[in-house]
Amino acid sequence: MEHIAIIADDLTGANDTGVQFCKHGFRTMVIIDAANVGQVGRDKDVWAINADTRHMTVPEAYRRVYEIALKLKEAAVSRVYKKIDSTLRGHPGAELEAVMDAWQAGLALVVPAFPANRRVVVDGHLLISESTAMAATSANCIPDCSGQVLCHIPTVLQKEMNRQVGQINLAMVRRGGEELANALEAARANSQVLVLDATSEEDLMNIARAISHVRQDVIVAGAAGLAAHLTMAWNLKPLTFRSFRREGTVLVVAGSRNPVTAAQVQRLAEFSACLPVQVDTAAILAGNEEAEIKRVLQEAADRENKDLLIIAVANLFQLAGTDAGAGKNSKSIAAALGTITSRLLGSRKIKSLVVTGGDTAVHVCRALAARGINLSADLLPGIPMGYLEGGPADGLPIVTKAGGFGPPEAFIEVFRYLTQE
């Protein structure tokens, strides 16, 4: 059995990339804590690992990813996919270099494009056709005069890498197949890291076909978009999903302050006539965490809607344009959301979880003592569903979403799916 590993810098990234392999037939587990690599999920084909490095320093992120990559090499993992954020948050260059160092790779191919979520790459520039408020979520991206968010990917990577970074333009990508593969091999004479343009799913398919022709000492890196095509040449049987029909409440926990998430939560609240229970983050940061948790739990208990409960950070609706996970204090807020979730599961019947925000998802899973997430389906691009493994909530369906992913009706569609008979 061939083993594949994904190294992501946060939990939602591990989920939305891992599910791309899952839907092609691979048994996929998300490993919530990198310390458990090699200890859980041994019967799975794919490990999607949350390195939890998004808010580390460059040296810290490099060291952790290097150690994970060495563990994977020792575990006889045959292929590694270095997942990078589709808006280049975190330290994509340092983490890619860590994987290349650990695996002694001669070349890395980088494809951050995710056309399904309106992230494309042209002439090495990442273009994001969304609200310019998204720019604030990544220090590497800035809005241009047309309202698009952009950055030059080779420049961003080169700042954190010793290896030379080059690029392959769209015209060459569209030649595809062996011709593109030959161009990649020729380019390695001058560059050890190559950024490839892509604006469509067909471009990603061309890149995937070319990858099948290149030598084995190549590390592939990118967003969930490319991951969806890496198994296209493999003859895999569809995965049979478990049924998740059960009585109870759909619990939505929104810990991201991304404006995209804010709009999605507001649409869901209007659709369901379920007002969010708002968590006062200022009270938590002031040291009044336990009192605030008790207040939130009491307010949740008083709500009449039995099908849906929304717990959201109060400043979500200020549209500040930054993630709640952006500051050093985010861990304590995420931990409080995890505690609230755990206690709600102990006091009422929850049929499924929907969690947005990488830090929030990690702390919710830790609070529930889950070892991993067995992925099962991609409900929408970048919004996967799976089942918790381990702990008192073993088998509970969980849907995770990065802050900026999905259309305004995303949570409505997820809620309808989870409540279908």
Side-chain angles (χ1 to χ4, degrees):
M1 180 174 66
E2 186 172 25
H3 290 283
I4 299 167
I6 301 158
I7 305 176
D9 69 352
D10 75 345
L11 183 57
T12 54
N15 278 350
D16 66 46
T17 306
V19 78
Q20 306 305 324
F21 292 86
C22 172
K23 65 188 183 184
H24 284 281
F26 285 107
R27 296 170 299 169
T28 305
M29 169 176 274
V30 173
I31 298 177
I32 296 166
D33 289 301
N36 291 326
V37 171
Q39 300 176 25
V40 298
R42 290 179 178 273
D43 61 330
K44 301 301 188 291
D45 305 309
V46 179
W47 294 342
I49 302 158
N50 167 37
D52 199 21
T53 54
R54 175 70 59 83
H55 307 301
M56 288 183 173
T57 64
V58 169
E60 290 170 340
Y62 174 92
R63 186 162 50 251
R64 178 169 292 182
V65 172
Y66 181 80
E67 292 171 354
I68 292 170
L70 280 182
K71 283 186 178 180
L72 296 174
K73 192 174 183 180
E74 292 167 0
V77 168
S78 55
R79 300 173 186 265
V80 172
Y81 185 69
K82 180 61 190 81
K83 197 275 181 181
I84 61 177
D85 181 68
S86 60
T87 60
L88 298 190
R89 289 179 293 179
H91 304 294
E95 295 187 17
L96 177 57
E97 186 125 66
V99 176
M100 295 183 73
D101 286 347
W103 280 58
Q104 299 179 325
L107 180 67
L109 305 178
V110 184
V111 189
F114 196 172
N117 269 314
R118 295 184 294 177
R119 279 97 157 141
V120 301
V121 179
V122 179
D123 294 329
H125 287 88
L126 174 65
L127 306 176
I128 307 171
S129 301
E130 294 181 3
S131 165
T132 55
M134 276 295 298
T137 68
S138 175
N140 294 318
C141 296
I142 58 172
D144 70 359
C145 59
S146 69
Q148 287 187 316
V149 180
L150 59 81
C151 63
H152 189 243
I153 300 164
T155 301
V156 172
L157 297 178
Q158 194 68 76
K159 290 178 181 178
E160 296 181 347
M161 303 191 76
N162 294 319
R163 291 174 171 85
Q164 185 63 37
V165 182
Q167 66 186 77
I168 301 294
N169 63 28
L170 196 58
M172 178 55 70
V173 167
R174 289 182 174 171
R175 292 182 184 179
E178 292 189 24
E179 190 170 356
L180 174 57
N182 291 336
L184 298 176
E185 290 289 356
R188 77 157 77 203
N190 298 312
S191 301
Q192 298 79 53
V193 179
L194 295 173
V195 176
L196 283 76
D197 286 357
T199 64
S200 68
E201 295 300 320
E202 186 175 355
D203 294 334
L204 296 179
M205 290 173 67
N206 281 339
I207 294 169
R209 291 190 186 101
I211 288 171
S212 68
H213 294 288
V214 298
R215 282 184 271 164
Q216 288 296 312
D217 66 332
V218 174
I219 296 296
V220 182
L226 178 62
H229 298 281
L230 286 180
T231 61
M232 61 179 299
W234 301 345
N235 183 21
L236 298 171
K237 296 179 180 179
L239 189 70
T240 300
F241 305 134
R242 283 187 284 173
S243 171
F244 55 89
R245 297 174 185 172
R246 61 171 75 185
E247 296 179 354
T249 302
V250 174
L251 173 60
V252 176
V253 183
S256 167
R257 287 181 61 203
N258 191 292
V260 174
T261 294
Q264 292 163 341
V265 172
Q266 288 175 327
R267 292 285 186 94
L268 176 61
E270 294 166 1
F271 170 80
S272 62
C274 176
L275 293 176
V277 177
Q278 299 190 29
V279 179
D280 186 351
T281 55
I284 293 170
L285 297 179
N288 300 317
E289 177 179 342
E290 187 57 33
E292 178 59 14
I293 288 172
K294 289 181 179 178
R295 184 197 66 78
V296 169
L297 292 173
Q298 184 58 56
E299 186 173 341
D302 294 339
R303 293 299 170 92
E304 295 182 358
N305 191 322
K306 302 302 180 183
D307 296 325
L308 176 66
L309 176 61
I310 305 171
I311 306 293
V313 291
N315 47 13
L316 169 68
F317 306 103
Q318 295 174 5
L319 300 184
T322 58
D323 279 343
K328 293 182 178 179
N329 295 322
S330 66
K331 300 292 185 183
S332 57
I333 296 170
L337 291 171
T339 300
I340 289 168
T341 303
S342 177
R343 294 187 187 179
L344 283 170
L345 263 70
S347 63
R348 64 192 297 169
K349 188 176 290 186
I350 302 297
K351 71 181 295 182
S352 52
L353 286 175
V354 181
V355 187
T356 180
D359 279 345
T360 304
V362 168
H363 282 82
V364 165
C365 290
R366 287 175 180 167
L368 298 176
R371 296 188 299 270
I373 299 172
N374 290 306
L375 295 174
S376 67
D378 208 15
L379 303 189
L380 291 169
I383 306 180
M385 187 186 82
Y387 298 87
L388 293 175
E389 179 170 303
D394 183 73
L396 183 71
I398 180 169
V399 177
T400 60
K401 186 190 81 71
F405 280 2
E409 297 79 19
F411 282 150
I412 295 176
E413 294 187 38
V414 169
F415 176 65
R416 283 173 167 164
Y417 183 86
L418 294 173
T419 55
Q420 67 185 351
E421 293 300 328

